[in-house]
Amino acid sequence: MKHRLVLVISLAGLVLASGTATASGTASAAPAHAQRAASQPQNCVAEAEPAGSTVTPTVTCYSSFAASIAAATGGRVRLPASTKPSSITRAEISAWNAVPATVFVLSIDWKDVNFSGPSLAWTQSADCGSFQAAGMPSGWNDVVSSVVTSADCANSLFQNSNFGGSRLDISKNTSRATLGSFNDLTSSEKWCTSKPC
């Protein structure tokens, strides 16, 4: 009987130790996952689609804001690697689009207010026109919190995909450090020469 009691207590100890190891293994996995997420490229570029397209644009992301802008401008603009997204002005975006550009930045979205956090530069082969994103690229639905538009292109943000729900119209050559009640609601966008798009 004594041996059985010792065996039961030993088994219970193993089960508890196993549960503790699993719990501590899970706890230590979370920081590793967070570290991987933090090291993922956070500065993205997407090409807006022509009006009428139902294609959801895809993004290509880069490890620095400077690298994303170099890609967004076809290599014409080379910012210092340490450039902070919040330091970019509307005038600089307009200068990036000067002729002889073949790729133009229509606007830049940020996931956080005050032009911070991950960024998404929208591009096209013309400085403006009738362009759209019927759905937001992967990782960008319902997260936009600040926007800068180019000197030539206005921007309309929509609450639902395919341009449904409420909307927020932003004039060309505008910086919106916060979208107010529209923060984290954007599911589709349009660009045009004057608002509303």
Side-chain angles (χ1 to χ4, degrees), residues 154-168:
N155 188 203
S156 290
L157 311 178
F158 296 84
Q159 181 180 8
N160 300 330
S161 58
N162 296 311
F163 321 109
S166 60
R167 66 189 289 158
L168 175 66

Side-chain angles (χ1 to χ4, degrees), residues 9-90:
I9 291 172
S10 297
L11 287 174
L14 282 174
V15 169
L16 285 174
S18 161
T20 304
T22 303
S24 66
T26 303
S28 66
H33 175 70
Q35 287 173 350
R36 280 194 303 276
S39 68
Q40 295 296 318
Q42 298 290 308
N43 301 281
C44 304
V45 178
E47 183 175 305
E49 295 290 322
S53 172
T54 58
V55 172
T56 296
T58 57
V59 294
T60 303
C61 298
Y62 302 86
S63 58
S64 72
F65 182 70
S68 73
I69 295 305
T73 59
R76 286 177 297 104
V77 177
R78 300 285 181 179
L79 300 172
S82 61
T83 301
K84 300 285 186 231
S86 59
S87 69
I88 299 304
T89 65
R90 296 184 314 263

Side-chain angles (χ1 to χ4, degrees), residues 42-44 62-69 79-90 92-93 96 108-121 140 146-148 175-177:
Q42 298 290 308
N43 301 281
C44 304
Y62 302 86
S63 58
S64 72
F65 182 70
S68 73
I69 295 305
L79 300 172
S82 61
T83 301
K84 300 285 186 231
S86 59
S87 69
I88 299 304
T89 65
R90 296 184 314 263
E92 284 176 291
I93 294 173
W96 299 343
I108 302 175
D109 296 343
W110 279 272
K111 283 191 177 180
D112 298 329
V113 298
N114 299 316
F115 319 109
S116 59
S119 63
L120 172 57
W140 284 90
S146 50
V147 175
V148 173
S175 296
R176 295 285 300 262

